[in-house]
Amino acid sequence: MQRTILIHGLISGAIIILGIIATIVFSAPHTLWLGYLIMLVGLSSILLAVKSHRDKALGGVIKFWPALMVGLGVALVAGIAYVLIWEVYLALTDYSYMEQYVAATLAQKKAAGLTGAEYAKLASSLEAMKRSYANPLLRMPMTFTEIFPVGVLVALVSAALVRNPKFLPAKA
């Protein structure tokens, strides 16, 4: 079971972070929806892990709680992999991500017509966020909480689906 969790979690985390980094590097419009779509694609390995455990280790039958535990294990490993790979990316780019994010956000808001006190308030807020993001003890848990709740939801759905042996039945 641990091997299944580790392999699927690492694959999931790598798919997600590479997708997110690709949107940054290739200047794709990185919307909230695109980010979560990438996460759902990567976290689909939770379903595959639970099914694999059910079919290979348990003879095609699994109860909800053991299925959920496998799914949560994969989500945990994926979240840790996501954080570690993101930290490597930040280090390789001299931690310039937040500087670029703040500059792009301010430019976008200025182009949209935001001026005066509202613009100053936004700039101040973004500068405070940038200072907080510079602290790895705040940044790493923040990064983990981007992905783990999505993993929990996918694990719940996967456990509910895969506990039914008729759902994606094992091949004879």
Side-chain angles (χ1 to χ4, degrees):
M1 179 169 69
Q2 289 88 355
R3 185 172 189 273
T4 301
I5 289 171
L6 184 63
I7 289 170
H8 285 85
L10 290 174
I11 290 169
S12 179
I15 289 170
I16 294 164
I17 197 65
L18 292 175
I20 300 291
I21 290 171
T23 63
I24 294 168
V25 169
F26 297 116
S27 299
H30 183 75
T31 64
L32 187 65
W33 292 108
L34 178 60
Y36 281 108
L37 179 62
I38 292 168
M39 286 183 192
L40 285 173
V41 168
L43 289 169
S44 66
S45 70
I46 291 174
L47 177 68
L48 301 175
V50 174
K51 181 188 177 331
S52 173
H53 182 63
R54 176 193 75 182
D55 296 346
K56 293 178 182 172
L58 301 176
V61 178
I62 192 169
K63 293 186 183 220
F64 178 81
W65 291 110
L68 181 61
M69 292 302 115
V70 171
L72 291 176
V74 173
L76 179 66
V77 171
I80 292 169
Y82 178 77
V83 169
L84 294 177
I85 297 169
W86 181 249
E87 288 296 315
V88 169
Y89 171 77
L90 288 176
L92 291 174
T93 59
D94 291 328
Y95 298 91
S96 63
Y97 171 76
M98 190 53 79
E99 187 73 40
Q100 294 169 357
Y101 174 79
V102 168
T105 301
L106 289 174
Q108 180 185 24
K109 294 298 182 179
K110 194 172 214 173
L114 188 66
T115 58
E118 290 179 17
Y119 182 83
K121 183 179 176 184
L122 176 64
S124 173
S125 168
L126 289 173
E127 280 301 316
M129 184 174 73
K130 187 169 73 172
R131 282 191 303 277
S132 294
Y133 201 77
N135 181 350
L137 295 177
L138 294 175
R139 181 181 58 243
M140 291 170 79
M142 189 184 325
T143 303
F144 184 79
T145 59
E146 291 172 8
I147 185 173
F148 191 69
V150 179
V152 170
L153 290 174
V154 173
L156 284 165
V157 170
S158 297
L161 292 172
V162 176
R163 70 183 176 88
N164 181 353
K166 293 178 184 173
F167 180 78
L168 298 173
K171 294 188 172 143

